[in-house]
Amino acid sequence: MRSKGSKGRPEIERDNLLDYERVYSTFQWSRVEEEMGLTPDESWNIAVAAVDRHAAGQHGHKVALRFYDGRTEGKLTYLQLKLLTNRFANVLRSLGVRPLERVALFLPACPEFYVSFLGTVKGGAVAVPLSTSFMADALTELLRDSEAAVLVTTAALVDRVHREQLPDLRRVVIVGTGPAAGAAEPAPDPGDVAYDRAMAGAADTDAAARADRETPMLLLYTSGSTGKPKGVIHVHGGITHYYQTAGHVLDLRGQDTYWCTGEPTWVAGISYGIWAPLLRGVTSIVYCGDFSTDKWYEVLSKFRVNVWYTTPTALRRLMHSGPAKPAQGHSLKELRHILTVGEPLNPFVIRWSREAFGLQVHDTWWMTETGGIIIANFPCLPIKPGSMGRPVPGVHAAVIDEGGRELPPLEMGQLAIMAGWPAMMRGIWRDEEKHREYFRLPPWYLTGDLAYRDGDGYFWFQGRVDDVIKKDGKRIGPFEVENKLVEHPAVLEAGVIGKPDPLWGESIKAFVVLHPDHPWSAALEADLQSFIERRLGSHLVPREIEPCQALPRTRSGKLMRRVLKALELGLPGGDLTNQA
Ligand code: ATP
Ligand code: MG
């Protein structure tokens, strides 16, 4: 079976998942281990499985990563990636980095990022990717928290690091992109290592450390939507999860060109921007330029992208810029599968995508802590617009009450996952108590998200537990109201919060970003209120609606309702220091 919208496109290979019910009911992770040739006494080094396994023979000359910054192109084949990551692992060894020590990567999405990330993991250390949007204080705090022994960065970025506050930082490796044009050359620190020189002097063999499925490989900070980012620990054993969901959900096939738009410092850009496509041996596009609709359409068409994993925010931005515009002389015909993650996928985006690309968008739900995709819309199942889909084979998801009991269909509660899937986090760095909190109602992992399940087993996201609005004894998920507001032609974005109210417990307040053609007025406010009343019911009508220029979002595009609430109520937490 194929997605409706892809009819008429050339058949390439069979879909990876044809019968969801059958596969779900018989699925075993141990079979994936067998398929991947992973035995208990074999090393589970995920970088070796992702890169070295594909580097032999003809496949070694296949492009693993194709880089494009909007002007120039670069590429790394599987064989080149194998040799370069060997070198980098040996560079770290020569710097005295011991197994499980943290190596922080504060670099843009350049080839050196991917080489040092994969080389760190291959050599047995733990990678700590940090977004270049972090400014000095946020960056230094995360470097301090992670107790990173080595930092890999560029000459232009290194002066954001307050080294004097980092007693654990022994060496800094400088990637030779030079300082930004016009910037003063930072004073060279005698202990710093030039990346190019160190790589040239390192051996390109014998680099891989042994790892078992419980060996840590990644310390990744969460997005900070609900508070201070948490340091999530992931292990080599996630390998089967990334590999399997790359088939079942991304539907990746051997000859595919794949583009994951997430930065490689965000979990989507790692699990599905690095691990999943490499484990499947396909070619990935890394676009390292800024967002612009023209450039994005150019990337899709010029590189003939087949599978595209992005975010609802990005699709909304494309949607507001008008019809899809492939690069000159190209088309978007090769595009076969579109997916999103990170925030709710609005039904109107799905409708727009059908018109713009002739394809549906497939929502996926997961978290930094889950490591891999947990709930998804599959190519072989019908999409219910607004639902995030069904659990991936091998994962049991449920909606539970406060005592951990599964709720019947259509009742809203906390989304919970039965603990034990391969990519599950193994710890919160330096905060065991926080880690235990997620698992305080065995056998569940508590997601902190609200949802309900319908009679067909589809899950519907309702917001975060912390964002729930308690009005007149009822619990309201803000997302339902937001999602309806953005269907009004005047509204581009909406954020909804609860405000203390002496009569009702809480009242609903909405913040809206308006379309430039629709100026704010009392009449528009009344129209929006009656729009919600007619479509959703009077109990969901926001008592107040306030226009604003932009909503506070994390760097990966997530709405931060806690910031809206703090600003509204004059509470601490309205600052965005976590967000750099
Ligand atoms: P923090 O944990 O630091 O507050 P965060 O939860 O935003 O930040 P991430 O792990 O990047 O950090 O995001 C996971 C969250 O993103 C989920 O808990 C959920 O609220 C939201 N999310 C992810 N995918 C979806 C989706 N498809 N639909 C709705 N929400 C989603
Ligand atoms: Mg979270």
Side-chain angles (χ1 to χ4, degrees):
M1 216 192 298
R2 299 178 60 79
S3 309
K4 236 186 180 171
S6 59
K7 270 190 188 147
R9 286 162 198 272
E11 292 286 333
I12 308 165
E13 289 166 33
R14 277 156 37 104
D15 294 12
N16 278 292
L17 180 60
L18 295 164
D19 183 345
Y20 175 84
E21 310 294 347
R22 188 184 57 76
V23 173
Y24 189 86
S25 62
T26 56
F27 185 85
Q28 285 173 4
W29 289 108
S30 56
R31 296 227 193 102
V32 186
E33 292 171 18
E34 275 167 39
E35 183 184 324
M36 297 187 77
L38 294 162
T39 55
D41 47 348
E42 188 127 348
S43 175
W44 279 55
N45 191 312
I46 186 170
V48 173
V51 179
D52 297 13
R53 216 160 56 101
H54 300 294
Q58 267 311 97
H59 200 282
H61 302 295
K62 180 167 179 177
V63 176
L65 300 167
R66 193 178 288 287
F67 299 88
Y68 183 55
D69 64 4
R71 284 174 300 121
T72 49
E73 282 180 48
K75 62 178 196 282
L76 287 173
T77 64
Y78 277 92
L79 180 57
Q80 287 170 324
L81 205 49
K82 172 183 170 175
L83 299 177
L84 288 168
T85 52
N86 281 349
R87 281 183 194 272
F88 190 80
N90 284 324
V91 167
L92 291 183
R93 212 157 283 159
S94 73
L95 296 178
V97 174
R98 294 181 295 272
L100 305 187
E101 278 199 305
R102 270 76 51 219
V103 174
L105 311 172
F106 184 52
L107 288 172
C110 54
E112 291 83 356
F113 179 96
Y114 290 83
V115 168
S116 46
F117 176 88
L118 290 160
T120 297
V121 172
K122 194 186 248 187
V126 172
V128 188
L130 297 169
S131 166
T132 54
S133 62
F134 284 124
M135 299 311 283
D137 289 356
L139 169 72
T140 305
E141 170 55 24
L142 295 182
L143 285 171
R144 200 190 49 73
D145 186 74
S146 66
E147 298 167 342
V150 169
L151 166 68
V152 188
T153 187
T154 67
L157 290 170
V158 74
D159 53 0
R160 288 198 207 156
V161 184
H162 296 311
R163 298 188 200 213
E164 69 292 352
Q165 296 174 26
L166 300 169
D168 300 298
L169 186 63
R170 300 199 299 270
R171 305 304 287 269
V172 176
V173 178
I174 305 281
V175 172
T177 46
E185 184 92 36
D189 185 302
D192 288 357
V193 179
Y195 176 91
D196 289 338
R197 198 168 323 135
M199 287 289 277
D204 61 10
T205 51
D206 302 325
R210 279 196 71 78
D212 63 35
R213 65 176 97 197
E214 296 303 319
T215 309
M217 56 102 178
L218 173 67
L219 169 55
L220 186 61
Y221 288 92
T222 56
S223 301
S225 310
T226 56
K228 197 169 168 290
K230 297 158 285 238
V232 174
I233 298 170
H234 284 294
V235 295
H236 288 259
I239 201 166
T240 45
H241 196 135
Y242 310 131
Y243 175 85
Q244 192 54 54
T245 46
H248 282 168
V249 185
L250 303 182
D251 194 31
L252 283 183
R253 305 164 192 185
Q255 295 311 313
D256 277 344
T257 297
Y258 166 72
W259 183 26
C260 171
T261 63
E263 272 185 46
T265 51
W266 178 40
V267 71
I270 296 173
S271 300
Y272 294 96
I274 301 178
W275 297 130
L278 292 180
L279 286 165
R280 288 271 163 178
V282 304
T283 298
S284 275
I285 304 299
V286 179
Y287 171 64
C288 25
D290 290 335
F291 178 92
S292 91
T293 50
D294 288 347
K295 281 290 167 207
W296 274 40
Y297 285 127
E298 182 189 333
V299 172
L300 285 172
S301 52
K302 178 181 161 86
F303 296 106
R304 301 175 194 284
V305 171
N306 305 109
V307 179
W308 180 31
Y309 199 10
T310 186
T311 62
T313 312
L315 290 183
R316 285 198 302 272
R317 287 176 78 175
L318 292 178
M319 187 178 97
H320 292 309
S321 74
K325 290 176 279 201
Q328 236 184 353
H330 295 287
S331 76
L332 297 172
K333 277 219 186 73
E334 320 287 332
L335 192 57
R336 186 184 78 239
H337 192 30
I338 308 176
L339 309 100
T340 59
V341 64
E343 40 156 359
L345 175 63
N346 322 87
F348 68 78
V349 175
I350 300 183
R351 288 197 288 275
W352 168 78
S353 168
R354 280 193 206 127
E355 281 165 31
F357 304 108
L359 295 170
Q360 317 222 59
V361 184
H362 295 70
D363 190 12
T364 66
W365 177 95
W366 53 295
M367 316 168 59
T368 308
E369 293 90 331
T370 71
I373 298 172
I374 294 291
I375 295 177
N377 284 286
F378 298 86
C380 66
L381 287 178
I383 287 179
K384 296 194 188 192
S387 162
M388 50 203 193
R390 299 179 68 182
V392 300
V395 168
H396 179 67
V399 176
I400 59 166
D401 68 12
E402 275 153 21
R405 285 170 293 267
E406 279 198 54
L407 287 168
L410 304 183
E411 273 191 41
M412 183 169 83
Q414 178 156 196
L415 178 62
I417 320 296
M418 193 167 285
W421 66 94
M424 183 176 85
M425 69 165 167
R426 299 302 204 271
I428 294 288
W429 178 247
R430 305 201 321 163
D431 199 344
E432 188 42 37
E433 200 178 319
K434 183 130 232 152
H435 182 232
R436 274 200 301 269
E437 262 175 45
Y438 288 91
F439 298 94
R440 66 179 179 273
L441 290 177
W444 303 114
Y445 160 82
L446 305 177
T447 65
D449 280 357
L450 290 172
Y452 69 84
R453 186 169 50 90
D454 70 16
D456 297 327
Y458 282 67
F459 286 78
W460 298 73
F461 179 81
Q462 295 297 295
R464 299 188 186 238
V465 173
D466 293 349
D467 293 334
V468 74
I469 302 167
K470 297 186 191 85
K471 184 184 164 199
D472 194 19
K474 294 192 191 64
R475 298 192 310 152
I476 296 169
F479 174 60
E480 195 179 1
V481 184
E482 289 163 4
N483 212 16
K484 206 39 82 181
L485 281 169
V486 292
E487 286 191 9
H488 189 283
V491 179
L492 290 179
E493 305 274 334
V496 165
I497 59 164
K499 273 180 79 170
D501 180 283
L503 188 61
W504 299 104
E506 280 188 309
S507 68
I508 303 175
K509 169 150 190 183
F511 294 84
V512 289
V513 178
L514 293 175
H515 197 283
D517 297 343
H518 293 264
W520 180 244
S521 67
L524 178 57
E525 183 175 26
D527 188 43
L528 290 173
Q529 285 166 326
S530 82
F531 182 76
I532 296 296
E533 183 169 5
R534 273 183 280 120
R535 306 282 181 106
L536 295 180
S538 55
H539 65 298
L540 294 178
V541 173
R543 179 184 306 155
E544 285 173 72
I545 304 182
E546 185 177 322
C548 56
Q549 288 304 313
L551 293 172
R553 290 189 180 275
T554 64
R555 61 182 193 277
S556 51
K558 289 176 211 290
L559 180 61
M560 291 189 286
R561 295 187 192 84
R562 67 165 166 108
V563 175
L564 284 176
K565 196 157 182 165
L567 288 171
E568 177 67 25
L569 303 179
L571 299 171
D575 69 280
L576 300 180
T577 44
N578 286 333
Q579 298 313 309

